[in-house]
Amino acid sequence: MIKFFEKDPYAPIQYTYEVTNILHKSKSKYQDIMVFENPFFGRILVLDGVVQITERDEFFYHEMLTTWS
């Protein structure tokens, strides 16, 4: 089993995620980009080793977009 360890420089704790499938991994001029699948969170977007958003909590993101309407 593959595991991903989040490298958040501002958090005193470390999160570990099980990886079932790596969908995308690349390095741009500005950041490292990775998208992988997790059995609980679904697809996870990671930028520079820090989780940005997951499929499971995407309703937070959509709620923020609709409150500006």
Side-chain angles (χ1 to χ4, degrees), residues 1-62:
M1 172 185 353
I2 300 172
K3 294 204 180 236
F4 170 76
F5 298 93
E6 185 173 16
K7 301 173 193 167
D8 187 347
Y10 305 107
I13 57 176
Q14 183 179 46
Y15 295 103
T16 305
Y17 300 90
E18 181 182 331
V19 177
T20 54
N21 188 20
I22 297 175
L23 301 172
H24 178 81
K25 188 173 182 180
S26 66
K27 184 173 178 125
S28 76
K29 186 173 160 182
Y30 304 101
Q31 60 201 359
D32 291 321
I33 305 160
M34 184 166 61
V35 179
F36 65 86
E37 289 181 332
N38 173 276
F40 182 76
F41 291 106
R43 292 180 181 157
I44 299 177
L45 170 65
V46 179
L47 299 177
D48 291 330
V50 180
V51 172
Q52 302 297 309
I53 193 161
T54 73
E55 245 181 335
R56 186 166 184 91
D57 54 56
E58 97 180 288
F59 66 93
F60 290 120
Y61 176 70
H62 287 142

